[in-house]
Amino acid sequence: MKSLAFAILTVVAVIFATVVTSRSDATVSPPTYPVGPEPITGKAAVPRPGSETPQRDPFSPYDPGPPEALWGSEQLGAAEKAVLDHGRDVSGWSSVHDGFRNAVLEQQPAFAAGAATSQLGIDDLATLGVLP
């Protein structure tokens, strides 16, 4: 039984060594395909050096186009003007803004404690006996 297991292991080891150390002398270069335009933008998928499109600033507003493409309030109907004018009434907004401000100020110590524990790498202040 031991000799049969040894023979099987020897055959497996020889096959493994043969497979691992074998290599081909033929050098095959990968096929090159012509780079065409992207199907969505129509621009080249790989631009030539110097013709790259700069990344747009994510915080800048989008350009709406020429002035004649913009809608004026005089072009809106009566129902649309009522919706527009309703959004312009900001008289009741101060109480909402104050509510959010007070909620943020109330939670600020907990946020500061969480940021400090994160920077220190401490998972739980309660296990250390420290109160935030």
Side-chain angles (χ1 to χ4, degrees):
M1 184 71 175
K2 288 183 182 181
S3 61
L4 178 64
F6 181 72
I8 292 174
L9 286 175
T10 305
V11 170
V12 169
V14 169
I15 292 173
F16 180 72
T18 305
V19 170
V20 169
T21 59
S22 66
R23 57 184 116 147
S24 173
D25 292 338
T27 57
V28 178
S29 60
T32 57
Y33 300 103
V35 178
E38 290 185 358
I40 296 174
T41 62
K43 296 180 181 177
V46 180
R48 292 184 310 274
S51 66
E52 297 90 357
T53 305
Q55 183 177 1
R56 192 184 79 76
D57 180 18
F59 299 106
S60 65
Y62 284 96
D63 182 21
E68 57 270 7
L70 302 177
W71 286 12
S73 60
E74 65 277 353
Q75 295 173 324
L76 300 176
E80 295 168 328
K81 284 185 181 180
V83 172
L84 178 68
D85 292 338
H86 177 72
R88 289 183 180 173
D89 180 21
V90 295
S91 61
W93 290 9
S94 60
S95 62
V96 175
H97 289 290
D98 290 341
F100 278 109
R101 179 183 176 277
N102 292 336
V104 169
L105 290 175
E106 183 179 310
Q107 294 295 322
Q108 194 274 336
F111 295 149
T117 57
S118 175
Q119 288 179 354
L120 293 174
I122 301 171
D123 291 336
D124 189 15
L125 289 178
T127 60
L128 298 175
V130 177
L131 299 175

